[in-house]
Amino acid sequence: MSRPRVVIIGSGFGGLFSAKALADADVDIILVAKTTHHLFQPLLYQVATGILSPGEIAPPTREILKDQKNVTVLLSEVTAIDVENKKVEAEALGTVSSISYDYLIVAAGAGQSYFGNDHFAVFAPGMKSIDDALELRARIFGSLEVAELTSDQEERERLMTFVVVGAGPTGVEMAGQIRELTLHTVKDDYRRIDPRKARVILLDGADRVLPPFGEHLSGKAKQTLEKLGVEVKLGGLVTDVDANGLTVKYKDGTEERIEAACKVWAAGVQASPLAKMIADQTEAQIDRAGRLEVQPDCSVPGHPEVFVIGDMMSLDKLPGVAQVAIQSGQYVAKKIVGEVKGQPVVTPFKYFDKGSMAVISKFGAVVKIGRIEMTGFVAWLAWLGLHLVTLTGFKARITTLAHWTIAFVSNARSERVTTRQQLVSRLAVKQLGDAYQPTITGTLDPTVLDERVDARNRRDTRPQEI
């Protein structure tokens, strides 16, 4: 008799930790993810600003799980979920797979939300993937390079203005690092511009930065940012974004036009479309952020074998943070183990808040753990220690510590390489449209109309049963 099959969608915190929690379970696991790595998203901004390399925050999923023999890792993007027939369909590089399951854990995470203005993404990339971080790195350093080339003062000022939209942890950390980059790291690298004169602007519609941290820590964070030289503009909503800048409308009705070449979008999240796909087939509802409203045990109403966790689930107003994904993944794994053993877990999922952290500048951070609040150097040390411990793998911890030592002691940054391809690839692929069909050997030129070439490249596209 075959063992129950658990299919996990996503290799983020929820997917990875649920797979690891099932290590000793009498089940077979198939982990399906559209990337080959596990992304430590809280440090993504450090890739974008040249402190860390992608490999340090995104180790290969196969390497992490290589000793767990009940796991099979598949590189594929899920395109369909058939809840009734308990099947998942996925595609990767021209290969389509159909995967059956006994239990399904959906942990596909969330993407950036532009609040109905998706065209903003053309000019203001988000911060959700390695591709995003590398594109932003190319935009940040590229803006300085082009500023060095131009003799037009107005254009130079536009190129040396960096705007970060969203004053949550990601936005605050990003704005702080861009400012430190221009203030210290590259200050002597150019001959025609002074990077120290660059403007870094942090925008948010709320009345304070880091709202979940409370009024005291929010005030401290704002004070630290402004001391660093970041311009903090609150109570303003972005109404338009284009290649040259953006328009902000404030609560008092006034509008401001900010000319800026490099914009970063760190405001709002939208759950994976898979949440709506499941909702359309079940009794479940989705909220404004596209998250699926789950039962107290993280299961989908009417389908106790399907679980939605992490950033995709709506439950008790839980925040979209790594610890929610980790703990919900571990809980669901425990529940599956109980059912397989005939010892059902009946207690609902309960989240334990381990606190929140945000680093603002070198040696400056804010930490909130329950009623405990810390700022400054002590908070920075706490942030440093926690992130080192949380990183996956000894190798990643050692290399990350080495890069941090270089960045924090000497102000140098080891990962400043950018390419034109990093700068344009996301938009180039989007502009190719649906005709762009990548395969492992490349892609068919979308302008080619020769039916014989088209047929040879497409071949048999029927799903392979797994």
Side-chain angles (χ1 to χ4, degrees):
M1 182 177 177
S2 62
R3 301 196 298 183
R5 174 183 282 184
V6 180
V7 172
I8 301 172
I9 301 174
S11 60
F13 288 108
L16 181 66
F17 277 81
S18 58
K20 292 173 75 172
L22 290 166
D24 298 322
D26 190 24
V27 297
D28 293 316
I29 306 164
I30 295 182
L31 190 151
V32 186
K34 61 182 179 181
T35 66
T36 59
H37 56 261
H38 163 66
L39 177 62
F40 190 83
Q41 202 172 86
L43 291 178
L44 201 56
Y45 73 96
Q46 294 199 5
V47 174
T49 53
I51 296 175
L52 298 178
S53 72
E56 282 149 357
I57 68 164
T61 310
R62 292 186 184 280
E63 182 178 323
I64 297 170
L65 297 173
K66 66 181 179 181
D67 295 326
Q68 189 172 328
K69 300 306 180 184
N70 66 343
V71 177
T72 299
V73 178
L74 299 179
L75 169 66
S76 283
E77 182 170 5
V78 172
T79 56
I81 298 175
D82 185 344
V83 175
E84 188 65 31
N85 294 305
K86 298 184 179 181
K87 285 194 173 184
V88 168
E89 192 167 292
E91 186 273 336
L93 301 172
T95 300
V96 182
S97 304
S98 179
I99 310 163
S100 59
Y101 65 82
D102 296 295
Y103 297 97
L104 177 64
I105 302 174
V106 188
Q112 208 71 61
S113 171
Y114 290 86
F115 308 107
N117 298 292
D118 290 349
H119 58 287
F120 288 2
V122 173
F123 311 107
M127 278 278 288
K128 291 296 180 182
S129 69
I130 291 294
D131 286 335
D132 292 339
L134 292 177
E135 179 181 352
L136 282 169
R137 184 195 289 181
R139 290 193 180 210
I140 292 166
F141 286 99
S143 292
L144 295 171
E145 294 298 333
V146 179
E148 176 84 345
L149 293 171
T150 185
S151 56
D152 184 323
Q153 184 59 31
E154 189 174 308
E155 175 66 2
R156 182 173 287 174
E157 289 176 2
R158 186 183 73 86
L159 288 162
M160 292 177 65
T161 299
F162 303 87
V163 179
V164 180
V165 182
T170 299
V172 166
E173 291 170 336
M174 189 70 177
Q177 283 305 318
I178 294 175
R179 184 58 186 147
E180 289 205 324
L181 172 73
T182 58
L183 201 60
H184 302 297
T185 305
V186 300
K187 65 182 178 67
D188 298 322
D189 291 6
Y190 298 88
R191 300 294 175 263
R192 302 180 68 196
I193 63 171
D194 183 356
R196 292 172 297 183
K197 294 181 180 179
R199 293 179 69 194
V200 180
I201 301 170
L202 180 64
L203 288 172
D204 200 283
D207 58 0
R208 61 178 186 237
V209 303
L210 302 175
F213 284 69
E215 189 172 346
H216 173 68
L217 290 181
S218 293
K220 287 286 187 181
K222 182 174 181 288
Q223 185 180 12
T224 303
L225 285 167
E226 290 176 335
K227 186 177 180 181
L228 190 64
V230 176
E231 299 176 38
V232 180
K233 295 177 179 283
L234 302 172
L237 298 177
V238 176
T239 58
D240 190 31
V241 183
D242 57 37
N244 297 318
L246 45 78
T247 303
V248 185
K249 186 173 183 178
Y250 295 96
K251 290 180 179 179
D252 62 4
T254 60
E255 285 192 350
E256 179 185 17
R257 171 70 183 179
I258 301 174
E259 298 295 326
C262 184
K263 287 84 65 179
V264 182
W265 195 272
V269 294
Q270 186 74 20
S272 164
L274 296 182
K276 187 177 186 306
M277 186 183 295
I278 294 171
D280 289 343
Q281 301 175 62
T282 66
E283 303 169 5
Q285 303 293 317
I286 56 173
D287 65 13
R288 293 177 61 184
R291 298 174 299 184
L292 192 134
E293 296 178 0
V294 296
Q295 302 285 73
D297 66 351
C298 302
S299 67
V300 175
H303 289 272
E305 77 285 356
V306 179
F307 301 92
V308 174
I309 63 174
D311 291 354
M312 286 185 64
M313 74 173 182
S314 175
L315 178 65
D316 298 334
K317 297 182 180 180
L318 293 174
V321 295
Q323 276 299 321
V324 171
I326 291 170
Q327 293 179 34
S328 59
Q330 292 171 331
Y331 167 83
V332 165
K334 182 179 178 181
K335 188 169 177 62
I336 291 173
V337 169
E339 291 191 13
V340 170
K341 289 182 175 181
Q343 301 169 351
V345 174
V346 295
T347 55
F349 170 62
K350 186 173 180 59
Y351 171 58
F352 175 68
D353 187 357
K354 294 185 177 181
S356 303
M357 297 182 171
V359 65
I360 303 165
S361 62
K362 184 168 66 173
F363 309 136
V366 292
V367 173
K368 182 178 177 63
I369 305 173
R371 295 183 178 180
I372 300 173
E373 296 184 350
M374 293 185 287
T375 61
F377 184 68
V378 174
W380 182 81
L381 285 178
W383 174 91
L384 190 82
L386 179 66
H387 282 70
L388 270 180
V389 170
T390 312
L391 277 170
T392 302
F394 178 76
K395 177 177 65 176
R397 295 187 189 113
I398 293 298
T399 54
T400 297
L401 183 59
H403 277 121
W404 280 350
T405 302
I406 292 170
F408 298 141
V409 173
S410 69
N411 290 319
R413 303 194 180 198
S414 303
E415 300 295 332
R416 289 172 53 181
V417 174
T418 65
T419 68
R420 184 172 297 184
Q421 185 167 312
Q422 290 173 352
L423 184 67
V424 304
S425 59
R426 177 180 64 95
L427 294 177
V429 168
K430 187 174 182 179
Q431 288 166 359
L432 284 172
D434 294 337
Y436 178 73
Q437 296 293 333
T439 69
I440 193 62
T441 54
T443 184
L444 177 66
D445 184 342
T447 62
V448 173
L449 299 178
D450 189 325
E451 293 183 2
R452 290 169 300 172
V453 175
D454 188 40
R456 186 173 68 244
N457 278 272
R458 282 189 289 108
R459 292 182 294 186
D460 187 358
T461 58
R462 288 175 296 180
Q464 300 182 64
E465 293 285 343
I466 292 179

